Amino acid sequence: MHGIASDGPGDYDSWRLRRGICKFLKDCTAPAGEFDGKEYADQDEFRLNAPPPALEYLGHPAWKIDPSGSSSQEWNAAAPFVVHWKLKRSSGPAIYVDEINWWPLVFSLKCRQIVENDAFLVGPSADRIKLCSTLKPDSNVPGRFISYDWIPTHDAAGFLSLPSRGALVNRKLKNGLLDWGFSDALLALGPLRTYLLDGIRQLILKSVAVSPDGSRGGLAAAPRANQEYVIVSHSLGSYLIFSALDINSATTKTLTVQRSGDAFEQILAHTSLVYFFANQLRLLALASLDGGPDKNLVGHLEAWGTSRCDYLKSLPGSIQTCARPQIIALNDPSDLLTWTVPELATVEVHNVVVKNSSHWFGLIESPTKAHDNYAKNKNALAQMLKLTSPD
C-alpha cells in the first residue's frame, strides 16, 4: 500500500520492494517477479459508468459528468486498482505481492485545483503537469484508464510556459511536499475518506481471492483456512489500510461490505506481521480528537490484535494463550514524514531506527531519499525476510 505523493503509473514503490526481496532471496525466476493480473474496484459506487460523488471544491465538482449525462468518464478514471505480482522461485514457494493503488481517486483534485493553480503563483511543476495531462486508456479494460488528462494537453502547454516566481528551493518544496504530497493526507481525512476506504476494501477482497493452485479471478472473497498475510505499507498507506480493514458501527455499509460478511475480520485474524515504512499515525490522529470510532486508529489496531488472538485460540491444540501480532515501524530520523507508533495493548510494537541515505557532513540527508528508500534498505529487507527480532 503506497503513501502520499504517488507518481501514478510511473511510481516504483512496489518494484523497489519486489526487487529487494528477490535480490535477498537470490532464487526468483525474474528480477522483480511476474505480472499476475490487474483488477479495478468495480462494485457499488465504483461500477463502470456510475455517477460520480457530489463532492465539490470551492464550488467546482471534483469530477465532471459527461455532457450526455449518461456517465462520467472522469469517475471511471478515478477508480483505484490492484496489480497482482507473483515472485516465482527456483527453490522455494512463490511469494504473492498485491500492490494496492488508491492514487487515481486524488488526481482530479490535486491536478486541477492545486497543481494547476499554483503554477500561476509559484511557477509550474513540469513533471506534475505532464503527469496530469497524459491520456492513456487501459486497452485491457474498456472504460478504464492507465492515466487521464485531468489537465487538457493544450492547457498544459500554457501552464508550462508560465514564469517561475518562487525561489528555487522553496518552489520545489511547495510543488512536491505540499501541493503533491501533504494534500493527500488532507483528502484522506475529509469526505473523500469514505470512497478511499471502500475502494481499498474492494481491492483487499480481490487480493485474498487466490485459489490453491495460485490462479485468480472469480473466486470467493475470503482467505483460505491456512493462509497468512503480511502487510507492508508506506507513509499514509499505514493509516488507510487499517482504517479500511476495521469494520465497525461507523463504517458505511455498502453492498460490497455487506456481502463480504466476516471476510475482513478473517483477513485481520490471518495477519501476524505488519511493516510500516514511515507512518503518520501520530500526526493524523490530531484530526481525531473527538474519538469517533471511524477515525480512531488505535482502536483499529487494537481490534486487529484481538481478532488475531481469538483466531489463534480457536486453532486445534491451542493452549488458550496467543502471541501478539507485531508492527515493525521503520523510521529514518531524517525523514520529515514519519513518527513513532504508540504502545498498544493487543499488538507488539517495535519502533526501529534505520538510515536510508548518506548524511552530508552530519548536516543534511536528502529528504526524498530518507522518505522513499525504505524498500531499498538492505538491513530492513534482511530483517523482514529472516524474521529476526527487531533491533
Side-chain angles (χ1 to χ4, degrees):
M1 172 82 80
H2 69 82
I4 66 171
S6 171
D7 286 326
D11 199 284
Y12 292 99
D13 272 0
S14 168
W15 178 84
R16 292 189 186 100
L17 177 62
R18 289 181 282 110
R19 184 171 177 80
I21 290 172
C22 285
K23 286 180 70 175
F24 179 87
L25 294 174
K26 296 183 175 61
D27 68 346
C28 292
T29 58
E34 301 175 3
F35 175 75
D36 199 31
K38 177 181 179 181
E39 297 180 273
Y40 290 88
D42 55 10
Q43 303 297 311
D44 304 334
E45 68 270 33
F46 291 112
R47 68 187 185 279
L48 198 62
N49 296 326
L55 299 179
E56 293 189 350
Y57 176 87
L58 298 178
H60 298 280
W63 299 275
K64 299 174 184 176
I65 298 178
D66 296 345
S68 65
S70 60
S71 66
S72 173
Q73 181 170 281
E74 290 192 356
W75 184 235
N76 290 343
F81 63 93
V82 59
V83 181
H84 305 299
W85 300 93
K86 186 175 183 178
L87 279 58
K88 292 182 180 179
R89 302 169 61 195
S90 59
S91 57
I95 296 173
Y96 294 87
V97 177
D98 300 291
E99 172 194 313
I100 295 177
N101 294 265
W102 50 263
W103 57 262
L105 270 171
V106 298
F107 265 40
S108 172
L109 289 159
K110 292 203 303 182
C111 290
R112 288 198 291 227
Q113 306 299 348
I114 303 295
V115 171
E116 180 178 313
N117 284 279
D118 228 16
F120 292 97
L121 177 61
V122 302
S125 172
D127 291 342
R128 305 291 186 244
I129 291 174
K130 291 174 183 176
L131 177 62
C132 291
S133 58
T134 301
L135 178 63
K136 186 177 181 180
D138 189 335
S139 59
N140 295 315
V141 186
R144 302 296 188 186
F145 297 84
I146 294 174
S147 61
Y148 193 78
D149 54 344
W150 304 106
I151 300 176
T153 304
H154 57 84
D155 290 342
F159 296 135
L160 289 170
S161 67
L162 291 171
S164 297
R165 293 189 172 90
L168 177 62
V169 174
N170 301 63
R171 184 174 75 249
K172 292 290 186 182
L173 282 173
K174 191 177 186 190
N175 286 158
L177 183 61
L178 294 179
D179 291 352
W180 198 249
F182 200 64
S183 55
D184 286 337
L186 295 177
L187 287 167
L189 296 173
L192 187 62
R193 172 189 174 85
T194 297
Y195 302 94
L196 279 167
L197 299 187
D198 201 37
I200 291 169
R201 290 186 194 106
Q202 292 189 31
L203 300 178
I204 291 171
L205 288 175
K206 290 177 182 293
S207 297
V208 302
V210 184
S211 69
D213 65 0
S215 62
R216 298 175 182 269
L219 303 168
R224 300 197 305 272
N226 63 342
Q227 186 67 61
E228 289 286 316
Y229 302 101
V230 173
I231 293 173
V232 182
S233 60
H234 185 225
S235 192
L236 179 61
S238 309
Y239 178 85
L240 288 174
I241 195 163
F242 272 96
S243 297
L245 279 169
D246 186 25
I247 305 299
N248 55 52
S249 58
T251 302
T252 302
K253 297 299 191 296
T254 63
L255 291 176
T256 300
V257 173
Q258 293 173 6
R259 284 196 297 264
S260 68
D262 63 349
F264 290 106
E265 187 168 345
Q266 289 184 52
I267 293 166
L268 285 171
H270 287 247
T271 301
S272 62
L273 190 60
V274 170
Y275 284 91
F276 288 167
F277 290 174
N279 74 90
Q280 289 100 48
L281 305 192
R282 287 187 183 274
L283 179 68
L284 298 179
L286 293 173
S288 307
L289 299 181
D290 61 355
D294 63 325
K295 294 184 179 180
N296 180 3
L297 192 67
V298 167
H300 300 327
L301 295 171
E302 296 283 17
W304 164 44
T306 300
S307 294
R308 177 66 178 177
C309 188
D310 290 344
Y311 163 68
L312 292 176
K313 288 180 178 179
S314 71
L315 295 176
S318 169
I319 58 175
Q320 297 305 302
T321 60
C322 55
R324 292 183 298 169
Q326 296 185 61
I327 291 176
I328 313 297
L330 303 178
N331 302 300
D332 185 327
S334 296
D335 182 353
L336 304 180
L337 292 170
T338 190
W339 287 262
T340 58
V341 176
E343 292 296 319
L344 300 168
T346 64
V347 179
E348 186 176 332
V349 176
H350 299 276
N351 288 292
V352 181
V353 173
V354 298
K355 183 179 178 182
N356 291 332
S357 185
S358 299
H359 289 186
W360 289 91
F361 309 108
L363 296 175
I364 188 171
E365 177 183 343
S366 166
T368 302
K369 292 180 179 179
H371 188 65
D372 291 348
N373 283 0
Y374 289 93
K376 295 175 66 175
N377 189 310
K378 294 179 180 179
N379 292 331
L381 286 170
Q383 179 174 280
M384 290 176 66
L385 296 169
K386 289 181 178 179
L387 297 180
T388 58
S389 298
D391 55 36

